[in-house]
Amino acid sequence: MKSDTSYKFRFPADQILGLTLIGLILLSALIYYKSVKAQRYLEPSLAISEPRIAFAQNIDDLIKKEFGTEGNTRVVFTANSLLVDDSLIFTDSYNKNAVKPDFLIKLGSIFLAILSDDQIRSQFELILVSTRLPQSPHLILNKQKQIEKQNNVELVLNSLLDIAPALKNDYTLYFTSSVIPVLPDQNENWIEFRFIPTEHLHIDMIKSLKKYSF
């Protein structure tokens, strides 16, 4: 005998509501767990990068103040270095025995603003003024070029300190010069002012990360 009655299985409304609430609670717990993990990753990253970002922004602002806000590809700040095309510094790009005082006055203003700011100055302990020396297979030629390059970079540093007396009187110890050997195919027409980070910066960074340790 065929029954006319059709049976359908139905959950009571209170059970459906209960299952929905349980699902929402589990979903919320999962989202919270993911957000906590993301926060534990992002906060240390920000603690490390924020001081360097602020440092770079401060120097970039000083460059724009002296050389304008338009795009400038010959005076750039990248990573920890201020790079200057040496054609802006030397009166003759081939015979680099004289400098352009007007340009060095602007450059000196940038370094004086950096060094006279306690917060910016705390980010580094030395400014290494250097030029590049592409290496060749000829050792004697390398030595001759190294002496020439060293004279060039010392001329830049001494002229900078002479043109900006406040730098020479108060901040000479923050500067040193060197010649950096590079591969033969690298551009050598740059004067680099590299900011060497202070050890205190690393110590403060480690202290700031203690609270994020697991």
Side-chain angles (χ1 to χ4, degrees):
M1 181 177 178
K2 187 176 180 180
S3 174
D4 295 332
T5 306
S6 59
Y7 294 95
K8 294 183 179 180
F9 183 77
R10 296 179 179 178
F11 281 105
D14 56 345
Q15 292 185 9
I16 294 176
L17 179 60
L19 290 173
T20 303
L21 291 175
I22 292 173
L24 291 174
I25 292 172
L26 292 175
L27 179 61
S28 299
L30 178 61
I31 294 174
Y32 176 76
Y33 172 74
K34 294 290 186 181
S35 65
V36 168
K37 287 192 67 177
Q39 184 180 15
R40 293 184 74 89
Y41 170 77
L42 290 174
E43 284 189 356
S45 300
L46 289 173
I48 294 172
S49 62
E50 188 175 0
R52 302 308 303 169
I53 292 173
F55 177 73
Q57 185 60 57
N58 287 330
I59 295 181
D60 192 54
D61 290 342
L62 291 171
I63 293 173
K64 289 179 179 177
K65 180 180 178 182
E66 290 297 332
F67 298 107
T69 56
E70 297 182 1
N72 191 341
T73 59
R74 296 197 294 169
V75 180
V76 295
F77 184 78
T78 175
N80 289 323
S81 296
L82 174 60
L83 298 173
V84 181
D85 189 324
D86 64 10
S87 65
L88 296 174
I89 296 178
F90 297 105
T91 56
D92 187 339
S93 297
Y94 297 98
N95 187 18
K96 301 174 182 178
N97 58 5
V99 296
K100 299 176 181 178
D102 292 342
F103 179 83
L104 286 183
I105 288 173
K106 293 183 177 182
L107 198 60
S109 297
I110 292 176
F111 285 111
L112 185 58
I114 291 171
L115 288 164
S116 59
D117 187 310
D118 293 339
Q119 185 174 1
I120 299 178
R121 193 174 68 246
S122 67
Q123 300 289 311
F124 62 91
E125 61 182 358
L126 191 67
I127 300 174
L128 176 62
V129 186
S130 65
T131 188
R132 300 173 180 179
L133 174 62
Q135 295 293 284
S136 75
H138 307 287
L139 297 181
I140 296 178
L141 179 61
N142 285 339
K143 186 63 177 178
Q144 292 174 343
K145 291 290 290 183
Q146 182 177 8
I147 295 173
E148 177 186 334
K149 290 278 189 179
Q150 186 65 43
N151 290 336
N152 294 156
V153 76
E154 286 180 1
L155 172 63
V156 172
L157 177 54
N158 292 333
S159 299
L160 180 66
L161 295 176
D162 289 339
I163 285 175
L167 286 179
K168 188 172 186 177
N169 294 336
D170 301 326
Y171 303 112
T172 300
L173 294 179
Y174 280 90
F175 292 92
T176 189
S177 62
S178 181
V179 175
I180 308 297
V182 296
L183 296 175
D185 59 345
Q186 291 191 3
N187 189 339
E188 61 180 294
N189 297 323
W190 290 99
I191 299 295
E192 179 180 4
F193 300 84
R194 177 176 291 274
F195 297 88
I196 309 300
T198 176
E199 292 182 3
H200 295 291
L201 180 63
H202 303 303
I203 294 172
D204 293 340
M205 186 183 299
I206 292 172
K207 288 180 179 178
S208 68
L209 293 176
K210 280 186 177 179
K211 66 178 181 179
Y212 303 112
S213 60
F214 292 90

